[in-house]
Each structure stands twice: as C-alpha cells, then as structure tokens.
Amino acid sequence: MPIFFWPVGDIIREEPIRDLFGRPLRDLRISVIDSCNFRCPYCMPAEVFGDSYAFLKPAELLNFEEIERIARLFARLGVLKLKLTGGEPLLRSWLPELVSRLARVEGIEDLALITNGAHLARMARPLQAAGLSRLTVSLDSLDAETFAFMNGRAHRLQPVLDGIAAAEAAGFRRIKLNAVVIRGMNDHQVLDLVRRFRGTGHIVRFIEFMDVGNRNGWRRELVVPSKELLSRISAEYPLSPVEPNYRGEVASRYSFTDGQGEIGFISSVSQPFCSDCTRVRLSADGRLYTCLFAAKGFDLRGPLRHGASDGELLSMIRTLWSRRADRYSDERAARGADGIRKVEMYTVGG
Ligand SMILES: C[S@@+](CC[C@H](N)C(=O)[O-])C[C@H]1O[C@@H](n2cnc3c(N)ncnc32)[C@H](O)[C@@H]1O
Ligand code: SF4
C-alpha cells in the first residue's frame, strides 16, 4: 500500500489512519511508571497489590528517548494530544525532563498529565516550566476519613489540596478534578466537591466506577449512574448541558446556570462512548493497548530496542490501528463483563 506524506506546519504527517469503525487516531496516553504510592480499592486494591508486589524494574521501563521517539511517530500518524499517566506519574524520576522533550514534539497541540496529587505541591512549578499544558488531579472526597480509606494507604488529604493550590500558583487554569464515585463509599459526598470547586474555574468530573482489570471487585450495584448524580446536583445547583469541546470528548459537560463554571460526567458504564474513541495507550514497558479493556498489548519496546527503523515502527502501528475493532463498553450490556481477561488500570493509566 503506498504511503502518502504531506507537510502540516513543520511536521510531515502520514496519511491519516482509521480503524475498522472509521475512528481516527488522535490521543496517546503514555504511562510512565506502573507503581503507585496509593492503593485505591477500585484500581490497585491493597490486599492484591501488597508491599512485595513486583512492579516493573527500571530497565523494563521505556526510557525518555524511547518515549519521545514513539510520541514523534504517533504525531506523524495524526495524534494531537498526549497525556502522561501511570501508576502515579509523579513517582517517575526526572519527569519534567520528559515533559520538556514532549512539549517540543511537532504536531502535538495538548500535553496533559493526570496525578493523584500527593507530590504535586513540589512538582507543579517544574512541570509548568517544562511545558505541561494541562493538569488533572484525582480527588475522590473532601472528607479526610473517606479520602484516607479510598487511597488505601491512609494518605492525608491536605497535601493534595496543597498540590492543587501550588498548581494554581504555578499558572495552571481549568484544572480537572476526577472523582470515582462508588455507592456506599463516597456517593453521599459529591455535593461537597461541587461546592468546593464551583466558581474557581476548575472542573470536577464524576467518573462511574468501571470494570477495568479483573481485580478491583467491581459489581454493577456499586456503580452510581451519572444520571442519578446529575439530578441530585442540579436539584441544588441548576445545570444545563454544554456542547463537547471536540468529537470524542470523554466527559459530558454541564454548566451551572448561575455562571459559576462547569462540571463533567464520565459515564463509560451507563452511556458508553466507544463509537467516538480515538485513544491509544502505551504502557510503561512499551506495550500498545487499543482499548482500556483490552486483554493484550502489542509490544513496541522489543522492535524499538532491536533497531527497528521509523518506517517499520510506523507500519506496525498503522497495521495495529487499522485492524482495531474494540468496543468493549458498548458490548458490556449485551454480553456481560464476567470472565473476560482485561488489562489492569494501573498498567495503562485511565
Ligand atoms: C489509573 S489513574 C493513574 C493516574 C494517577 N495515579 C491518578 O490516580 O490520577 C487514572 C485515573 O483512573 C481512575 N480510575 C482508576 N480505576 C478506576 C475505575 N475502576 N473506574 C473508574 N476510574 C478509575 C482514577 O481515579 C484516575 O482518575
Ligand atoms: S487510581 Fe491512580 S492513585 Fe489510585 S491506585 Fe490507581 S494509579 Fe494509584
């Protein structure tokens, strides 16, 4: 098959690629580390991921040159957005150096990072200076006890709040605050989060508890459908729907009718959004996953370390994407979730 090239600004883009459902490739999520200082029960339950759990060894992680090279290849294939994740990305040594490399990749319009915020107070400024454009902080509760329970390691809430304040001071605006809502755990506290961040310019996003991986004890009864939260929140603070910023945006947006900002809902269980999914995920050891619920990743690190040329790597990625038929969340309702092997969330980072 011939390969077409054309210049866009300074970057040589390849012919755009589409998967079997016509979905383009637009976002690359890069996991920079698989380990984490938290043990959120919905992601890495402490009873499964104990102190002696074997995470990847340093030599198994992609190094910064490798990550940068992969990001450049993806930019040539049409990727516009990069998001750094983990595990906990702020545990990766020298992270600002990686950010500054990625901020210079031609064709990338948006470079974001998601963190649990525990180390954000000291990292916000270096990350901003290195060229990070956007930040998401995961924050499930403003109640110290619930927060301690939901991070599985009794971490205190205050350092995360200090991290958010440091990020504001460093110049980050419209910070996204992600809360996974679990029935009986923190669903009675969603209004506290709404109240705290209304009027700050930041955006709280409520995420339905997803059946990612096979070890987080997911049960449908624990999922709080976004519709239920929407009616509870709008009873106190009237909301109206807002158009997505772009096709395929994961959160549905609502603004406060009194002009105090917006909130979002990520409803992968009750309202799957597979048909617009343009994301690919790179694990910290260099595997590509074309779906959050995929069983198998495609090893890119092997060929990379064995001298594959850019052309060869591009062709592998192109083939992988053009055969992509994943639509797990759409199919969940029909076939059920039980018994299917899936990648764990901490491997691909959400
Ligand atoms: C896997 S974490 C990685 C980045 C970082 N450690 C953090 O927590 O922000 C990325 C996002 O996935 C979310 N997440 C993890 N497990 C989830 C689950 N089972 N259902 C819904 N969201 C989940 C987290 O709350 C977080 O917002
Ligand atoms: S959600 Fe993030 S902070 Fe919580 S255990 Fe998973 S990787 Fe760690």
Side-chain angles (χ1 to χ4, degrees):
M1 190 173 69
I3 299 170
F4 302 96
F5 301 96
W6 69 89
V8 178
D10 289 336
I11 183 178
I12 303 290
R13 286 235 202 253
E14 311 270 323
E15 186 183 19
I17 49 176
R18 292 190 177 262
D19 71 7
L20 289 175
F21 294 114
R23 297 170 295 191
L25 173 55
R26 288 282 175 261
D27 313 68
L28 172 64
R29 302 217 168 157
I30 303 173
S31 172
V32 295
I33 193 163
D34 61 337
S35 61
C36 187
N37 45 341
F38 283 15
R39 287 293 182 274
C40 308
Y42 49 76
C43 174
M44 243 194 241
E47 56 283 10
V48 181
F49 298 89
D51 289 338
S52 56
Y53 189 81
F55 289 101
L56 294 169
K57 299 181 189 70
E60 293 174 303
L61 300 176
L62 291 180
N63 63 37
F64 289 176
E65 285 76 18
E66 290 167 336
I67 294 175
E68 182 186 343
R69 184 169 171 211
I70 291 173
R72 286 189 188 283
L73 295 175
F74 273 99
R76 283 174 60 179
L77 288 169
V79 161
L80 304 171
K81 297 168 69 170
L82 302 178
K83 186 173 198 178
L84 301 179
T85 179
E88 173 45 40
L90 299 194
L91 297 186
R92 179 80 193 243
S93 305
W94 309 107
L95 189 66
E97 188 200 320
L98 176 64
V99 169
S100 77
R101 284 169 176 260
L102 297 179
R104 292 195 298 264
V105 172
E106 282 161 13
I108 296 301
E109 297 174 354
D110 187 34
L111 175 57
L113 175 139
I114 178 164
T115 171
N116 63 32
H119 295 296
L120 188 57
R122 65 181 170 81
M123 294 297 289
R125 203 167 281 283
L127 289 171
Q128 207 274 342
L132 188 70
S133 39
R134 282 191 312 111
L135 196 60
T136 300
V137 180
S138 298
L139 179 59
D140 297 328
S141 173
L142 287 173
D143 172 72
E145 217 174 293
T146 310
F147 180 80
F149 178 77
M150 288 189 75
N151 65 54
R153 282 264 168 95
H155 282 272
R156 289 184 315 115
L157 173 65
Q158 194 55 47
V160 179
L161 299 178
D162 293 345
I164 295 168
E168 286 168 347
F172 288 102
R173 301 283 169 261
R174 292 174 70 76
I175 299 170
K176 290 179 179 154
L177 299 149
N178 277 5
V180 177
V181 182
I182 301 185
R183 196 174 299 284
M185 216 177 267
N186 62 342
D187 58 322
H188 57 297
Q189 297 167 345
V190 295
L191 274 164
D192 300 343
L193 282 161
V194 171
R195 250 177 240 120
R196 166 70 180 75
F197 292 104
R198 250 171 63 82
T200 61
H202 305 322
I203 303 162
V204 176
R205 307 189 311 167
F206 296 107
I207 309 179
E208 288 177 351
F209 177 25
M210 290 186 281
D211 50 332
V212 279
N214 297 97
R215 308 188 204 172
N216 66 0
W218 185 85
R219 283 180 289 131
R220 195 171 277 275
E221 313 85 84
L222 299 176
V223 178
V224 184
S226 295
K227 241 192 215 162
E228 182 181 324
L229 294 182
L230 176 63
S231 74
R232 261 156 60 189
I233 296 167
S234 55
E236 186 142 341
Y237 299 108
L239 291 163
S240 59
V242 180
E243 285 297 307
N245 285 309
Y246 51 89
R247 187 165 174 225
E249 188 170 30
V250 292
S252 28
R253 304 169 61 204
Y254 288 82
S255 66
F256 297 109
T257 55
D258 63 2
Q260 290 302 299
E262 69 176 76
I263 59 173
F265 296 93
I266 300 177
S267 321
S268 154
V269 180
S270 66
Q271 291 154 264
F273 36 78
C274 299
S275 59
D276 276 339
C277 180
T278 56
R279 286 171 286 284
V280 66
R281 295 172 162 86
L282 179 68
S283 67
D285 61 350
R287 289 176 189 279
L288 284 176
Y289 291 84
T290 53
C291 177
L292 190 51
F293 301 92
K296 251 177 63 193
F298 176 86
D299 177 36
L300 213 52
R301 189 188 64 188
L304 200 69
R305 291 190 179 173
H306 285 99
S309 67
D310 282 358
E312 286 165 336
L313 294 169
L314 283 168
S315 151
M316 287 172 205
I317 299 168
R318 204 181 287 111
T319 303
L320 181 73
W321 191 262
S322 63
R323 292 181 182 162
R324 177 188 191 233
D326 308 277
R327 46 192 295 271
Y328 175 87
S329 293
D330 279 349
E331 291 169 342
R332 179 195 290 114
R335 73 175 182 196
D338 295 342
I340 299 169
R341 234 190 96 238
K342 292 164 277 169
V343 61
E344 294 295 325
M345 186 71 141
Y346 73 93
T347 307
V348 287

